Amino acid sequence: MKASIPTRKKVKLEWFKSKSKLTIERKIDIQYTSNSVFSNKINQYAIVKYILLKAGEPVEIPPNSPMVLYKNNLPFLFLNISECVGSKIISEDMIDDDILVDDDIVHVKEGDPKISFEDAKSPKEHIEVRTRYDRISRLINIENKLEEPIDIEINFKQTKDITYIKSTPQPTEIEEPTYKFKISIPSESKTKITLELQAKIVKRVTKIKPEYLEKQK
Amino acid sequence: MLIDPKVVRLVIFNAGGGIVEREIKVSLQQGSNQFEIQNVPASFDPNSADILLEYLQPEDQQKFTLQQTTVSLPDTQTSNQIIDREKSAASNIISYSIDFTREMRERITRLCEASKYRTYSDMKGTFNFIINAKDEGEVKVKILYFIKDTRIRWNTTLQVNIDDSGKEAELEGFLIVNNQTGFSYDNVQLNFAIFQLPSKGFEHDHISNVVPPQESVAQAPNLRNEMLGELNRFQNVQPAKLKRTQRFKKLL
């Protein structure tokens, strides 16, 4: 393309114009630690990204280029491009402020501790390992404040300490260690997921061996 | 001979800088022909500067040979002194002159602005070459050089018009060329590349341009700088914070 670029000026040039298919991907990634699983309330976020499948020849757009979404000829969202693969233009991940996620604890059932011992550094000491398995029930409330229905994917990722027992509703797909829930939420409505989890709680205390305690007396 | 080859092609890098291709047809006399190219910015890279001869007739290849090219950049310190003086003069003109007419005011403002934004990269470099000719004739000369000036760059902006169904959209892509250098490019073939110039050497040039000598001394390694370096490294490994959606809400 031919153009004139004057000194100390910005020049805007038309590059391409084409149709595209638009997909909006929303997800909530949930993962707990043995500490956070007992929190009364956890702030979770819905992550949104826009994927455009451009018709015609692919274009290469550098990452971090700005993108403006228009609806009814009015700009409604300013964001950046995260990557461009062939005809696919993918926006950056953003926290969707119009989807509210409340993650609250409902119930905790403490398990019986099992005690075992491990060697300590000093021969006069040993480590008392108390292991117990607690059952925790958490309720995740998702509210769609948008004026349109949405599809959202909730991904619960289990860890070595926090494992999945059951849930309401059942996961749509299980890809160990991730349990996926694909749900649709109508406009200005709420939906909820109950997760029943098992937490492995391990406490280690270094103690003087009983035989040495007696000798000290 | 002083020549001003026309810029025919400009490849701009998204991270700043680019490649300039200039072209001119020159007449040669028998013997040694020396040329000096005008309007070469000081931001040009002398190491990558290249001259190519395009022969108009096949037999010219035997007649005309490029003997040498001579390149040099202006001295940084002297150039910065000149720029500082010009900036100061421009500032004084704005401060003390109140009786300009409207037309004069606009012209003078433009001139003062140009002085204010001038940097070392807007100074002129030297780019000379010598062609030896066995006979009289003409030859087309192509001049290629990199410009290491991040004030010329391009970016894109994408306008996505979503239809009522929310499943299809019309895309409009625009290229925005931002030229904050002191050089204009008139009716040139533009190419755009996703490229970042190597920072080594380039950074060194620019730092030496903007940092006064006394500040350079303060940059000597010390405990505080080392600690700051550690802090910066720590900050670099922090996960990037996500932005939040701020959708336009129609009020009326």
Side-chain angles (χ1 to χ4, degrees), chain A residues 58-208:
Chain A
V59 286
E60 202 161 328
I61 304 172
N64 297 322
S65 298
M67 176 159 110
V68 187
L69 303 185
Y70 284 78
K71 233 177 191 180
N72 303 323
N73 293 322
L74 285 169
F76 86 102
L77 190 60
F78 293 85
L79 62 170
N80 288 336
I81 291 165
S82 117
E83 59 176 328
C84 191
V85 188
S87 300
K88 223 181 212 184
I89 301 161
I90 305 162
S91 84
E92 62 184 333
D93 284 351
M94 291 179 94
I95 294 170
D96 198 326
D97 265 353
D98 294 305
I99 313 297
L100 299 184
V101 189
D102 288 328
D103 181 352
D104 301 301
I105 198 156
V106 181
H107 185 71
V108 179
K109 192 183 169 192
E110 274 194 20
D112 294 328
K114 280 181 186 171
I115 300 166
S116 60
F117 295 95
E118 284 175 7
D119 289 340
K121 267 186 185 176
S122 161
K124 289 180 182 178
E125 289 174 344
H126 61 188
I127 302 164
E128 191 183 286
V129 184
R130 287 172 171 261
T131 311
R132 66 167 211 264
Y133 291 91
D134 294 352
R135 276 180 86 122
I136 300 120
S137 168
R138 295 197 71 94
L139 180 72
I140 298 150
N141 261 305
I142 306 154
E143 187 182 354
N144 172 18
K145 287 172 78 183
L146 289 165
E147 288 170 359
E148 60 210 40
I150 58 152
D151 292 321
I152 193 162
E153 192 176 282
I154 295 110
N155 300 318
F156 166 71
K157 198 173 180 183
Q158 72 175 14
T159 58
K160 64 180 172 65
D161 294 328
I162 311 296
T163 48
Y164 172 89
I165 298 173
K166 63 176 182 176
S167 66
T168 315
Q170 288 283 310
T172 327
E173 202 182 319
I174 302 170
E175 255 180 49
E176 292 281 8
T178 310
Y179 294 75
K180 296 181 176 181
F181 304 83
K182 288 177 183 170
I183 51 170
S184 300
I185 312 171
S187 164
E188 291 173 7
S189 304
K190 280 183 184 178
T191 194
K192 59 185 177 184
I193 295 174
T194 313
L195 286 176
E196 206 151 301
L197 310 165
Q198 180 177 268
K200 184 184 176 187
I201 312 296
V202 181
K203 280 181 184 166
R204 283 183 162 84
V205 185
T206 307
K207 287 181 171 177
I208 298 168

Side-chain angles (χ1 to χ4, degrees), chain B residues 208-222:
Chain B
S208 62
N209 291 341
V210 292
V211 180
Q214 64 271 23
E215 281 184 36
S216 305
V217 175
Q219 283 186 347
N222 58 31

Side-chain angles (χ1 to χ4, degrees), chain A residues 1 3-9 11 13 15-16 18 20 22 65-66 68 70 75-76 92 95-98, chain B residues 156 158-162 167 169 171 173 175 177 179 181 184-190 243-245 247-248:
Chain A
M1 105 178 34
S4 293
I5 313 293
T7 170
R8 280 178 253 286
K9 296 278 185 296
V11 180
L13 304 161
W15 185 17
F16 66 86
S18 73
S20 76
L22 171 73
S65 298
V68 187
Y70 284 78
F76 86 102
E92 62 184 333
I95 294 170
D96 198 326
D97 265 353
D98 294 305
Chain B
T156 64
L158 197 64
Q159 196 171 312
V160 184
N161 301 305
I162 303 172
K167 293 194 172 159
L171 291 183
L175 289 160
V177 183
N179 178 21
T181 68
S184 293
Y185 302 94
D186 190 32
N187 196 28
V188 293
Q189 176 65 41
L190 281 181
K243 280 203 291 190
R244 288 174 179 276
T245 54
R247 292 191 179 90
F248 178 86

Side-chain angles (χ1 to χ4, degrees), chain B residues 59 77 84 88 124 131 195 211 214 220 222:
Chain B
E59 61 270 22
Q77 210 174 348
D84 287 345
S88 166
K124 304 273 169 70
I131 298 175
F195 186 71
V211 180
Q214 64 271 23
N222 58 31

Side-chain angles (χ1 to χ4, degrees), chain B residues 11-191:
Chain B
V11 184
I12 308 172
F13 306 144
N14 66 321
I19 307 169
V20 179
E21 189 182 314
R22 297 170 71 173
E23 209 174 83
I24 194 167
K25 200 193 269 184
V26 291
S27 299
L28 301 170
Q29 304 295 317
Q30 197 177 12
S32 178
N33 297 266
Q34 192 167 342
F35 297 96
E36 187 184 335
I37 306 166
Q38 281 185 304
N39 292 322
V40 177
S43 62
F44 95 109
D45 176 26
N47 298 326
S48 64
D50 202 8
I51 299 267
L52 301 166
L53 299 184
E54 268 187 22
Y55 304 103
L56 303 177
Q57 305 293 332
E59 61 270 22
D60 287 350
Q61 203 166 346
Q62 307 300 321
K63 289 200 295 189
F64 311 129
T65 48
L66 181 71
Q67 184 191 304
Q68 68 178 75
T69 57
T70 314
V71 287
S72 78
L73 295 175
D75 176 63
T76 320
Q77 210 174 348
T78 317
S79 301
N80 283 333
Q81 276 178 343
I82 295 167
I83 292 164
D84 287 345
R85 265 187 55 182
E86 283 178 4
K87 280 182 184 176
S88 166
S91 169
N92 286 339
I93 291 170
I94 298 281
S95 303
Y96 299 116
S97 309
I98 48 166
D99 52 351
F100 293 136
T101 60
R102 187 186 160 84
E103 293 77 24
M104 280 282 278
R105 188 184 298 139
E106 280 173 9
R107 280 182 63 189
I108 287 165
T109 310
R110 257 201 313 276
L111 281 168
C112 291
E113 269 182 11
S115 293
K116 196 186 167 193
Y117 292 113
R118 183 167 293 175
T119 67
Y120 172 80
S121 299
D122 294 323
M123 303 301 276
K124 304 273 169 70
T126 309
F127 194 161
N128 299 345
F129 63 95
I130 299 170
I131 298 175
N132 282 327
K134 288 180 181 168
D135 202 357
E136 282 183 5
E138 278 187 329
V139 72
K140 203 191 261 185
V141 182
K142 255 189 189 175
I143 302 119
L144 283 160
Y145 52 83
F146 273 80
I147 41 169
K148 301 185 293 181
D149 193 341
T150 50
R151 294 174 307 159
I152 183 163
R153 55 172 65 214
W154 67 274
N155 60 352
T156 64
T157 181
L158 197 64
Q159 196 171 312
V160 184
N161 301 305
I162 303 172
D163 71 359
D164 294 338
S165 72
K167 293 194 172 159
E168 289 201 345
E170 197 181 81
L171 291 183
E172 274 185 278
F174 297 95
L175 289 160
I176 293 157
V177 183
N178 188 0
N179 178 21
Q180 294 302 318
T181 68
F183 292 85
S184 293
Y185 302 94
D186 190 32
N187 196 28
V188 293
Q189 176 65 41
L190 281 181
N191 290 97

